[in-house]
Amino acid sequence: MGQKKIIQIGTGGFGLSWLEILDQHEQVQVVAVVDVDETNQQKAKELLKDSSIQLFSDYEQAFKEVDADIAVIITPPQTHKKIAISALENGLHVFMEKPIAHTKEDAIALTKMAEKYDTSVMISQNYRYRPEIQAIKKAVTEDLVGKIEYVEWNFQRATKFGGWRDHYEEIIVEDMSIHHFDLMRYLLEKNATTVYAKSIRPTWSCSMGNQPLVSL
């Protein structure tokens, strides 16, 4: 099997991390990068150390002009649906950072659209495969623990990502807790039926302006 050719859209903070992973993977070759910021384009080119890498500001132009197999989309969730559909229309497989889209409606629309194509859409959701989670799953599946009636997840990460995430009104619900809900679904094989949330913003919060943090 030959190398799969990749166009990566989005080479900001997370994008550069993915680009480094892809560059080191022997089964893929990054042939083009797309970013609306020329500085990000240059950082990507420097990371790849390949003068043949094509740089674009317009993903539609890249999809039409570059021979590739996969579009790797590492952009804000609000853009996922539009970019992914364009990639599908141009015969590309799609790999995206979570979430599928920023709204439930967009996620459903993209899912239905993807069913019309022979190519696939895949979302990165890697917390399930961490060793500690696999150990818990094994204990639950093999009935090494009793009946589970209560789960508490204490999340106290204070990462300052910057960029577009600073503009979210509810960063935990909109971006981070997808991991926590997914892990509960995975471990318990059940879906949530109701959700209660209360927002707070202490004076020492790094969240932007008057936007609150969220406590679930």
Side-chain angles (χ1 to χ4, degrees), residues 8 41 48 61 69 94 105 119 147 159 184 187 195 200 205 211:
Q8 179 166 315
Q41 293 179 23
L48 294 172
Q61 181 185 1
D69 304 293
V94 175
E105 292 74 20
T119 48
K147 181 180 179 181
T159 303
M184 286 189 284
L187 294 172
V195 176
I200 60 172
S205 168
Q211 303 298 346

Side-chain angles (χ1 to χ4, degrees), residues 138-149:
K138 184 174 186 293
V140 173
T141 302
E142 296 182 1
D143 202 25
L144 301 178
V145 296
K147 181 180 179 181
I148 299 175
E149 298 182 354

Side-chain angles (χ1 to χ4, degrees), residues 2-201:
Q3 286 185 322
K4 296 297 183 182
K5 296 179 180 178
I6 286 176
I7 299 173
Q8 179 166 315
I9 305 90
T11 57
F14 273 37
L16 288 178
S17 297
W18 274 108
L19 203 60
E20 185 175 7
I21 292 170
L22 295 172
D23 185 45
Q24 296 173 358
H25 201 298
E26 61 183 16
Q27 294 182 351
V28 301
Q29 177 190 4
V30 180
V31 293
V33 297
V34 182
D35 200 289
V36 294
D37 188 325
E38 290 186 4
T39 300
N40 288 345
Q41 293 179 23
Q42 292 303 318
K43 287 181 179 179
K45 190 169 185 177
E46 291 170 8
L47 186 152
L48 294 172
K49 298 182 177 65
D50 185 348
S51 59
S52 68
I53 294 295
Q54 299 186 62
L55 307 178
F56 294 87
S57 298
D58 184 339
Y59 60 86
E60 291 186 349
Q61 181 185 1
F63 293 162
K64 287 179 172 58
E65 295 183 6
V66 178
D67 178 26
D69 304 293
I70 305 169
V72 174
I73 302 172
I74 315 296
T75 60
Q78 294 88 339
T79 68
H80 284 186
K81 176 188 171 186
K82 186 176 181 180
I83 300 175
I85 289 176
S86 178
L88 291 170
E89 290 174 343
N90 283 278
L92 298 169
H93 295 283
V94 175
F95 176 90
M96 292 194 294
E97 259 283 4
K98 59 85 183 166
I100 297 174
H102 188 59
T103 67
K104 178 181 178 181
E105 292 74 20
D106 277 357
I108 292 173
L110 175 55
T111 300
K112 290 182 177 179
M113 180 66 71
E115 292 172 351
K116 300 178 181 180
Y117 295 88
D118 292 332
T119 48
S120 302
V121 176
M122 178 179 176
I123 311 300
S124 169
Q125 179 57 284
N126 57 2
Y127 278 32
R128 290 186 177 197
Y129 304 104
R130 292 184 171 183
E132 60 272 25
I133 299 301
Q134 287 297 302
I136 296 172
K137 179 65 173 178
K138 184 174 186 293
V140 173
T141 302
E142 296 182 1
D143 202 25
L144 301 178
V145 296
K147 181 180 179 181
I148 299 175
E149 298 182 354
Y150 174 78
V151 175
E152 180 173 321
W153 194 284
N154 193 340
F155 180 70
Q156 297 186 27
R157 183 172 177 175
T159 303
K160 173 68 171 172
F161 291 112
W164 51 267
R165 286 179 174 83
D166 281 352
H167 297 273
Y168 273 170
E169 292 184 3
E170 304 287 4
I171 184 64
I172 301 298
V173 169
E174 295 178 80
D175 187 65
M176 295 302 297
S177 277
I178 182 172
H179 289 299
H180 311 137
F181 279 103
D182 183 66
L183 287 176
M184 286 189 284
R185 292 174 61 244
Y186 176 58
L187 294 172
L188 304 176
E189 297 184 1
K190 297 181 182 295
N191 288 315
T193 56
T194 60
V195 176
Y196 168 78
K198 181 179 180 180
S199 297
I200 60 172
R201 185 180 188 276

